[in-house]
Structure formats: C-alpha cells, structure tokens
Amino acid sequence: MSESAKKRPGRPRSIESDRAILQATIDLLIEVGFTHMSIDAIAARAGVGKSTIYRRYSSKEELIADAIESLREELVIPDTGSFWGDIDSLIESAAQLTLNPLGKQTVAMIISTALTNPQFAQMYWRKYLQPRRQAFAIVLERGKQRGELQADANSDLFFDTISSIMLYASVFPPNAESWGTYVRRVLDFLFRDKMPNGLTNSG
Amino acid sequence: MSESAKKRPGRPRSIESDRAILQATIDLLIEVGFTHMSIDAIAARAGVGKSTIYRRYSSKEELIADAIESLREELVIPDTGSFWGDIDSLIESAAQLTLNPLGKQTVAMIISTALTNPQFAQMYWRKYLQPRRQAFAIVLERGKQRGELQADANSDLFFDTISSIMLYASVFPPNAESWGTYVRRVLDFLFRDKMPNGLTNSG
Amino acid sequence: MSESAKKRPGRPRSIESDRAILQATIDLLIEVGFTHMSIDAIAARAGVGKSTIYRRYSSKEELIADAIESLREELVIPDTGSFWGDIDSLIESAAQLTLNPLGKQTVAMIISTALTNPQFAQMYWRKYLQPRRQAFAIVLERGKQRGELQADANSDLFFDTISSIMLYASVFPPNAESWGTYVRRVLDFLFRDKMPNGLTNSG
Amino acid sequence: MSESAKKRPGRPRSIESDRAILQATIDLLIEVGFTHMSIDAIAARAGVGKSTIYRRYSSKEELIADAIESLREELVIPDTGSFWGDIDSLIESAAQLTLNPLGKQTVAMIISTALTNPQFAQMYWRKYLQPRRQAFAIVLERGKQRGELQADANSDLFFDTISSIMLYASVFPPNAESWGTYVRRVLDFLFRDKMPNGLTNSG
DNA sequence: CGGTAAGCGAGACGGTACGTCGCGTCTTAAG
DNA sequence: CTTAAGACGCGACGTACCGTCTCGCTTACCG
C-alpha cells in the first residue's frame, strides 16, 4: 500500500479537486441525469480542467461509479427488538435512498450498467450487496434466537427475496399504494407462514 | 370506428420501410449494442433515409423502444399438467428471452427507461406485464383445482414475486449456479410451504 | 377503349397555378432571398403541390429565372426632347428597378448565375440587354440629329458604358451621394467632351 | 498596444490548421465550385475536424470570404513608362485574376454577397478597392507629368470607370473579341479625347 | 535554493453522431 | 392526366460531446 505513496515527484493531486469533481458529478446526476450529463459540464461546474478529471477517471462511467460509491451510506444493522421491526427499518432506509430523483437515477445507472457490463455487476455485488447480505444474517439470527423465525430459515435467500421485491417495486411502482406498503404486503404474503407466531404488519 | 386510417391525403408511409427500420435496429442492437448504435447506421442498413426514421420516431430511444416492442413474444399460457411444471416452463421461456446479449440489452433498456421515465414504466406495465399477470392467474387457478395449492394463494403477489426474482437474478447473476437453477431454488424456498403436498423441484 | 382522343386527354394544366407559383416565388425572393428560399415554401405559399412546380420547371434556378423574366418591364424608349433628358429618364427607371430589395436580389441572382453559367449570361444578354442596346441607338440617333452629339458617337459602346457604371454603382453603392447622382456625375465626366455644346447636368 | 495576443489562456489555435483549411477551401472551390462544396469535404481534405472550422468561421460564406481574401494579390503599381502601357498592365493582371474558373467564382461570390450584404460590400471596398484606387492616382499623376493626360483628369472617376467596364465585361463576356481587347476598345472610345496627343491602342 | 517533474485551468484538437432541412422523385386519392 | 398532399432516398448543415493534446502557470520534493 505504501508503495511510492509519498515519493512520487511533482505536484501532488489536489484533494480539493477530487471533492469538487465528485460533488459536481452528483449535482448534475440529480439535475439532468446520466445521459444528459457532459464531462465538460462537470468540469465547468467543479471549476476544474477536463484533464484533471481524465487524470483520475478514464471514462464517464468510471467517474459516475465513483461518485455513487462516494455517496453510499454507512452500513447500519438495525436492532429494534423484533425481527419485523428490523425489516421495517430496512425498508424505511431503502425507501429513503431509492425514492428520490437521485436514487432513481442511481438505481437506473447501476442496473443498466450491471446488465451491460458483468464486471461492474460483480464488483457492485461484492462491494455493496454482499456486506449487506452478511449483515442481514445477524438480523435473522437474532430473530431465530427470539423464536420469531423457524430455525432453518435461509438468511441469503431471505435477503435476496427482500432485495428482489424492492428492486421490482422501484422499477414498476405500485399505483394503488405506497412503495413501502406494497413491499411490506408482499413480504407478509411470502413469510407469514415462516413465522411460528404469525406476523403482525406494523404498516 | 376506423381511426382515420386511410383518409389521410398524400403518399402513405411505407410499411416496407417500417419493417426494414425495425429489423435493422434489432440487428444492430445485437451486434453493437445500444450505446454504439447510430441512426445513420440503422438508416444505411435498412436502405432508408434518416428522415424516414425521424418521421416515425422523434429520437433514438423511441425507435429502440418500438423495436423491442416489436420483438415481444406472443403470450402463451403453459399447461404441462402440474403447477410446478408450468412454472418451470415460464422460467425456461424467460431464460431464453433474457440470457442472450439482446435480451440483456433489452432488459437494461426497459429498466433504465422505466426508472427515468415513469410514463414509460406505466405503459410497459399495462401493455406487457399486466396481461402476463392475468394469464398467470389461470395457471394458478388450475393448480388450485388440482389441489396443488392452498385455496387462498394470491395470484398477483405470486406473479410479482416470481418476476422480482427473475429480474434480480438477471441483474446480479448467481455465480455458483445457473440462472434457472437459482430462480427455482428461491421459489422452492418461498413457496414450498404453500403446497399442501410439498413440492418436488424438477431441477 | 377504342375511342381515340381528339384533344389532349386528361386534365389541363392550371393557369391559376402557373400564376400562383410565379407570384409566390417573387414574394419569397423579396422576403428571404435566393439562398434561403425553398421549393417547399414556394409550393406552400402558392397553395400548390411540389410536383406541380417540378412539372413546369426542372430546377430551382429555372423557376427563378422565369419568375424574374415575368417581372420584366416593357421596353420603353424615352423621348424627352433632349439627349441628356433621355439619359436621365433611363437612369431614373433603372434606379427604380434596381434600388429596392427585390431589385438587388435580382441583380445578384443574374450576375452570379451569369458568372457561373455562361449559357445563362448569353441568353440574358440576347433576350434582355440586346433589345435595350438597340433601343438606345434610337435615342442616340435623335441626339445626333438635334446636334447634341458628335456624328461619330458609337451607340453600342455608349450603352455598354452606361450599363457598366450602373452595375458598378449597384454593387458598390457610393456612400457620399445617391446612386443616381453618382451615375450622372461619372457620365458627365466621360461624355462632356463629346457634346459639341458641352452638357448641362439636370441633377 | 499589443492586442492581448499571447495572454489568452488555453491551447492556442493551430496556425497549421488555419493554413490547411484555407488551402482545402481554395482547392475545392476550384474543383467543384461554391455550391457543391461541403464543409465536411473541406474538413476531410484539410485533415481537420469540422469543429476546428466552425471555431474559426461561423458559416460557409465567412470561410470562403476569408479563403478568397487570403488569395489576394499584392498590390503592385505598374510603371511601364507610358500611361497607356500602365493601363495595359492593369488590364492584363485583372484578366489573369478574373478569367479562370476560380476567378469567376470569386467575382460571383463577391458581387452576390455585396448585393445581398451591404456591410460586406463596404468592407470589400475599403480593404480592396480603395487601396487600388489610391494606387491608381499615382499612375495617373505620372501620366499628367509626362503630358499624356489633361491636367484636370479625375483619378477616382477614371479608376471607377475602368473597374466598371472590367466588371461588366466579366459578367457579359463579349463574344466577338477577347475580354482584354473589348476592355481596351471601350477605354479607347471613352478617353481618347482626354489625351492631348491622342492615344495609340497597343492591342 | 534552484532544478525538475508532475499537476493545474483553459481551451483547441480530430472525430463521431446528432437531429434538421432542402432537394428532386415517387405514390396516393380525388377531380 | 393533372392536382394537392406528403413520404421517399439522399446528403449537407451546424451543434454537442468525446477523449486527447498543448499552452503557461503552480506546487512540491530532492539534490
């Protein structure tokens, strides 16, 4: 890691520029969206030369991937005292991330890049989803110990299912009810039977 | 009730050009992908002037949406004799549609357009998913009558769940097993308990 | 079937369309000029189909040539009683033809077509300038008979010189005096000595 | 007094590109003419991007005006020892400039632009004709001092007349004699009487 | 402490694709 | 057989970005 860290000659790269580039990228992503965003516009908004961007990122896609990466929330593991309360908390924070314009752009970008570029999909999976999947195992384990869940409940499939529903509901938003209500209703439908005591929707 | 189809004056638009444009679009979508496909190239390949394209579609996006629309399969309702056999059949045909390069491009295009443009999402839902959801109700009903399913199984949520899983598995392909195997495994996990006799994975 | 046509069969060409096409052409020539005038616009303005124009004229140039042709004044030979009075009258009518926007466009069109296309130049010369040159011979002859001019004055060169000056003054308008005043001043300079009694500028 | 020549930031415009663009423009003007010349073709021939052209010129017309400007000959004042010899020399060099295809295109362009656009006419007059008119005053002055001309000969009108005749003869070339012969004949006709000793046409 | 090497804002560069417009031709139905 | 309407193939237009390449300057460090 320390490989030539400080011994590179010449002027070091400006941290201020790093920051300004990412901020301008995010701003424009929100304002005009991925497609209509130009590198020239980012450079102008950031008060930076284009070469300063291209020195850091070799393409528009890479820049945007990094900008989104920089936004990512800290991974927090909810602990409300009940399994369903934890799920509710996860739904709530997913809703906050996803249901604003930037969130939609972000999801669109990730999905369409992932579908086009398998390497990106894998990278994203490894760096973002995998940790959350593992964190979810903890939530599920606590549920088991509280006797809220059957002992053989599969954490990974549980997580994937929740993620699937959320993604689907983001792409095709239900028009009769809210995103969160719909997501809860589907999960209720799927998992009610897996809860020894049934399950109370907190909607 | 004819929608003024033939009373417009002047030379009618060429159906042959319609067809050639869509075919060229699909060919190039497969060969070079959405991003690297140019209208000029489509026009050249179709043996058509650019204006003939722009007379029909006001942008690249619109053209591609229509090209994809034109590809869509006839809606077929499987009837294999068992509910799980029908599901298998649905998974199989979804796999065929989705797992080739064009299919991925198509899904990417639909998802990212849908996330960006809610009207498109709604239109797509109404014209494509809704009919399939209704067709699925028939499959499920047959399962109930055969006693394979609980009488209260909710067809819509069932369908949405299956769709969700498939979408998710398309975006983030499992790396240890095949797409179809993974999809079946998740459905098995979710619905096994809803089958009075249990359920035998045909994998 | 066997009935042979005595007259030309089919619908005769519309004289009204002939007229409307030329009028629309002239109007647009004045309003937007040769370069920015489109056949589509002429057809629309004339309330006529494009093919109706192309049945009559094989190109934009031909149409405009005919439109200009249709505008041309009757050839009138002035007879004011004095040679210089006649010249004044010619200058006056040339000014009226030339110094409005249409006139300038017309001159521009004629000159640039003539320079590009020798056949047009020759045609224009033969059909327009030649007759006026011959008419001028009459004016000059009357001047000789009145003793206003030397007996050996060459009518053709006289005419050409006057035309030359007028053309030059149209292209590079004098900025200190009016077109007509300038033209008269040059002619005075050139021809004063050729008048036995000198010459009185009527300016 | 330096016009901020070198203090503009950023990469300076390439002089090599300037040159290549003008050369390609002139080449194509000669080969295919004004109307059939495309900016794309100029860019390709010059080995330059279209934007490099449009950064310098906002339209085809402006580019061609500059290309022609760049061709213009050095102003040379003939001094053959006799006034008529000097005139002959002027006619000769005008003929060389004017009577080839490029020359005709050039004249056509100048005339038709001048008639359409008074600012261009004035600019052209000021930058091209005015200096030549002043140079001609020197030629005429020498003629006076040699006693070849009357002392009151007006240099400006003299020059304008010569220019007029030349322009007219370019637009409507005489068909019985050469351009030069015709021009000389008209000048002979007009100015013979202004020469104390008469004048000998060198034709 | 002065040289050297990289980074910097600015902006021009060769390209590619865009969506528009005009040309002159072709195809309808109506007259 | 012409007409009005308008679609057609073609090809140029001028614009917008791409990712690269100079410019003339900082800004560090290293000898």
Side-chain angles (χ1 to χ4, degrees):
Chain A
M1 262 307 176
S2 59
E3 184 205 3
S4 77
K6 278 281 145 195
K7 64 181 181 177
R8 271 222 312 260
R11 178 175 173 176
R13 292 194 182 165
S14 158
I15 295 169
E16 184 49 33
S17 291
D18 289 352
R19 203 203 47 68
I21 290 168
L22 290 178
Q23 190 55 54
T25 303
I26 289 159
D27 290 354
L28 284 169
L29 203 49
I30 293 170
E31 286 173 33
V32 302
F34 174 79
T35 312
H36 303 97
M37 177 175 40
S38 75
I39 297 286
D40 285 84
I42 293 171
R45 167 92 56 131
V48 138
K50 269 205 294 181
S51 46
T52 301
I53 294 177
Y54 279 106
R55 201 171 290 114
R56 290 162 168 72
Y57 306 100
S58 65
S59 70
K60 198 176 168 180
E61 286 71 26
E62 214 178 278
L63 163 57
I64 289 171
D66 200 55
I68 287 170
E69 169 92 16
S70 79
L71 279 185
R72 261 170 12 201
E73 304 244 310
E74 277 311 293
L75 169 58
V76 287
I77 303 172
D79 191 1
T80 61
S82 81
F83 179 71
W84 193 255
D86 290 352
I87 295 282
D88 256 7
S89 167
L90 289 171
I91 293 173
E92 198 47 50
S93 58
Q96 274 177 21
L97 277 176
T98 304
L99 297 179
N100 62 341
L102 173 58
K104 293 198 169 191
Q105 295 277 9
T106 306
V107 174
M109 215 287 286
I110 291 168
I111 303 307
S112 92
T113 307
L115 281 159
T116 303
N117 180 346
Q119 278 125 349
F120 176 86
Q122 220 165 332
M123 183 272 277
Y124 185 82
W125 167 263
R126 197 177 61 253
K127 291 185 55 176
Y128 189 73
L129 288 175
Q130 187 90 300
R132 276 151 187 79
R133 212 194 202 196
Q134 282 159 2
F136 186 75
I138 297 169
V139 169
L140 191 115
E141 193 54 36
R142 284 199 296 248
K144 284 182 185 171
Q145 281 165 8
R146 281 191 294 255
E148 295 172 296
L149 293 164
Q150 294 168 4
D152 65 344
N154 182 322
S155 165
D156 286 352
L157 295 184
F158 223 119
F159 177 82
D160 287 359
T161 303
I162 296 174
S163 303
S164 301
I165 305 296
M166 286 179 172
L167 174 60
Y168 186 75
S170 297
V171 177
F172 301 109
N175 46 13
E177 58 199 321
S178 81
W179 186 88
T181 308
Y182 172 80
V183 171
R184 281 189 197 90
R185 192 155 63 82
V186 179
L187 297 180
D188 184 35
F189 162 69
L190 292 172
F191 297 122
R192 188 201 321 252
D193 307 325
K194 298 192 159 43
M195 315 278 168
N197 328 329
L199 132 82
T200 312
N201 186 325
S202 66
Chain B
M1 266 306 149
S2 71
E3 25 171 294
S4 75
K6 276 283 145 197
K7 58 187 191 176
R8 278 219 313 253
R11 178 175 175 176
R13 294 200 179 159
S14 159
I15 295 169
E16 184 50 32
S17 291
D18 289 352
R19 203 200 48 65
I21 290 167
L22 290 177
Q23 190 57 53
T25 304
I26 290 160
D27 290 355
L28 284 169
L29 203 48
I30 293 169
E31 287 173 31
V32 303
F34 175 80
T35 312
H36 304 96
M37 175 175 40
S38 77
I39 298 284
D40 284 86
I42 294 171
R45 166 94 54 133
V48 138
K50 255 204 301 183
S51 47
T52 299
I53 294 177
Y54 279 106
R55 202 171 291 114
R56 290 163 169 70
Y57 306 100
S58 64
S59 69
K60 199 175 169 180
E61 284 73 25
E62 216 178 275
L63 163 58
I64 290 171
D66 200 56
I68 287 169
E69 168 92 16
S70 79
L71 278 186
R72 263 171 11 202
E73 303 245 311
E74 278 312 292
L75 169 59
V76 287
I77 303 173
D79 190 3
T80 62
S82 80
F83 179 71
W84 193 254
D86 290 350
I87 295 281
D88 256 6
S89 167
L90 288 171
I91 292 173
E92 198 47 48
S93 57
Q96 274 177 19
L97 277 176
T98 303
L99 296 179
N100 61 341
L102 174 58
K104 293 199 169 189
Q105 294 275 9
T106 306
V107 175
M109 217 288 289
I110 291 168
I111 302 309
S112 96
T113 308
L115 282 158
T116 304
N117 180 347
Q119 278 127 350
F120 175 85
Q122 220 166 330
M123 184 272 278
Y124 185 81
W125 167 264
R126 199 177 59 255
K127 290 185 56 176
Y128 188 72
L129 288 175
Q130 186 92 299
R132 274 148 188 81
R133 211 194 204 196
Q134 282 160 3
F136 186 75
I138 296 168
V139 169
L140 190 116
E141 191 55 36
R142 284 199 295 248
K144 283 181 185 172
Q145 280 165 9
R146 280 190 294 255
E148 295 172 296
L149 293 165
Q150 294 169 5
D152 64 344
N154 181 323
S155 164
D156 285 351
L157 295 184
F158 223 118
F159 177 83
D160 287 0
T161 303
I162 297 174
S163 303
S164 301
I165 306 297
M166 286 178 172
L167 174 60
Y168 186 76
S170 297
V171 177
F172 300 109
N175 46 14
E177 58 199 323
S178 81
W179 185 87
T181 307
Y182 173 79
V183 170
R184 281 189 198 90
R185 192 155 63 83
V186 180
L187 296 180
D188 183 35
F189 162 69
L190 291 173
F191 296 123
R192 187 199 323 250
D193 307 326
K194 296 194 159 44
M195 315 280 168
N197 331 328
L199 134 81
T200 312
N201 188 323
S202 64
Chain C
M1 269 292 180
S2 58
E3 196 183 35
S4 67
K6 296 172 186 171
K7 301 178 178 181
R8 263 229 307 261
R11 177 172 172 177
R13 289 194 183 168
S14 159
I15 295 170
E16 185 49 33
S17 291
D18 290 352
R19 204 202 48 68
I21 291 167
L22 291 177
Q23 190 57 53
T25 304
I26 290 160
D27 290 354
L28 284 168
L29 202 48
I30 293 171
E31 286 173 32
V32 303
F34 175 80
T35 312
H36 303 96
M37 176 176 39
S38 76
I39 297 286
D40 284 84
I42 293 170
R45 167 91 56 128
V48 136
K50 269 205 293 181
S51 46
T52 301
I53 294 177
Y54 277 106
R55 201 169 292 112
R56 289 162 168 73
Y57 306 99
S58 65
S59 72
K60 196 177 170 181
E61 284 72 27
E62 215 177 276
L63 163 58
I64 289 171
D66 200 56
I68 287 169
E69 169 91 16
S70 80
L71 279 185
R72 264 175 4 207
E73 303 244 310
E74 277 312 292
L75 169 59
V76 288
I77 303 173
D79 190 1
T80 61
S82 80
F83 179 71
W84 193 255
D86 291 352
I87 296 282
D88 256 7
S89 167
L90 288 171
I91 293 173
E92 197 48 48
S93 57
Q96 275 176 19
L97 277 176
T98 303
L99 297 179
N100 61 340
L102 173 59
K104 293 197 170 192
Q105 295 276 9
T106 306
V107 174
M109 216 288 287
I110 291 168
I111 302 308
S112 97
T113 308
L115 281 158
T116 302
N117 180 347
Q119 279 125 350
F120 175 85
Q122 220 167 331
M123 183 272 277
Y124 185 82
W125 166 263
R126 198 177 60 254
K127 292 185 55 176
Y128 188 73
L129 288 176
Q130 187 90 299
R132 275 150 187 80
R133 212 194 202 193
Q134 282 159 6
F136 185 74
I138 296 168
V139 169
L140 191 115
E141 191 56 36
R142 283 200 296 251
K144 283 181 186 172
Q145 280 166 10
R146 281 190 293 258
E148 294 171 297
L149 294 164
Q150 294 169 4
D152 64 342
N154 181 323
S155 166
D156 285 352
L157 296 184
F158 223 119
F159 177 82
D160 287 0
T161 304
I162 297 174
S163 302
S164 300
I165 305 297
M166 286 178 173
L167 174 59
Y168 186 76
S170 297
V171 177
F172 301 109
N175 46 14
E177 59 199 320
S178 82
W179 187 89
T181 306
Y182 173 79
V183 171
R184 280 189 200 91
R185 192 154 65 82
V186 179
L187 295 180
D188 183 35
F189 162 70
L190 291 172
F191 296 123
R192 188 201 318 255
D193 306 327
K194 296 193 160 43
M195 315 279 167
N197 330 329
L199 136 79
T200 312
N201 187 324
S202 63
Chain D
M1 263 304 163
S2 72
E3 26 172 291
S4 76
K6 278 281 143 198
K7 57 187 189 177
R8 278 220 311 258
R11 179 175 173 174
R13 294 201 179 159
S14 159
I15 296 169
E16 185 50 33
S17 291
D18 289 351
R19 204 201 48 67
I21 290 167
L22 291 177
Q23 190 56 54
T25 303
I26 290 159
D27 290 354
L28 284 169
L29 202 49
I30 292 169
E31 286 173 32
V32 303
F34 175 81
T35 312
H36 304 97
M37 174 176 43
S38 76
I39 298 285
D40 284 87
I42 293 171
R45 166 92 56 130
V48 139
K50 257 206 297 185
S51 47
T52 300
I53 294 178
Y54 279 106
R55 201 171 291 115
R56 290 162 167 72
Y57 306 100
S58 64
S59 70
K60 200 177 168 180
E61 285 72 27
E62 215 178 276
L63 163 57
I64 290 171
D66 201 56
I68 286 169
E69 167 93 16
S70 80
L71 278 186
R72 263 171 12 203
E73 304 244 310
E74 277 312 292
L75 170 59
V76 287
I77 303 173
D79 190 3
T80 62
S82 80
F83 180 71
W84 193 255
D86 291 352
I87 296 283
D88 256 7
S89 167
L90 289 172
I91 293 172
E92 199 47 51
S93 58
Q96 275 177 19
L97 278 176
T98 304
L99 296 179
N100 62 340
L102 173 58
K104 294 198 169 191
Q105 295 275 9
T106 307
V107 175
M109 217 287 287
I110 291 168
I111 302 308
S112 92
T113 308
L115 282 158
T116 303
N117 180 347
Q119 278 127 350
F120 176 84
Q122 218 166 332
M123 184 272 277
Y124 185 81
W125 166 264
R126 197 177 61 253
K127 292 184 56 176
Y128 188 71
L129 289 174
Q130 186 92 299
R132 275 149 188 81
R133 213 195 203 195
Q134 283 160 4
F136 185 74
I138 296 168
V139 169
L140 190 115
E141 191 54 37
R142 285 200 295 249
K144 283 181 186 171
Q145 282 165 8
R146 282 191 293 257
E148 294 172 296
L149 294 164
Q150 294 169 6
D152 64 343
N154 181 323
S155 165
D156 285 352
L157 295 183
F158 223 119
F159 177 82
D160 286 0
T161 303
I162 297 173
S163 302
S164 300
I165 305 296
M166 285 178 173
L167 173 60
Y168 186 75
S170 297
V171 178
F172 302 109
N175 47 14
E177 58 198 322
S178 80
W179 186 86
T181 308
Y182 172 79
V183 170
R184 282 189 196 91
R185 193 155 63 82
V186 179
L187 297 180
D188 184 36
F189 162 70
L190 292 172
F191 297 122
R192 186 199 323 247
D193 307 327
K194 294 191 161 48
M195 314 280 167
N197 330 329
L199 133 79
T200 311
N201 189 323
S202 64

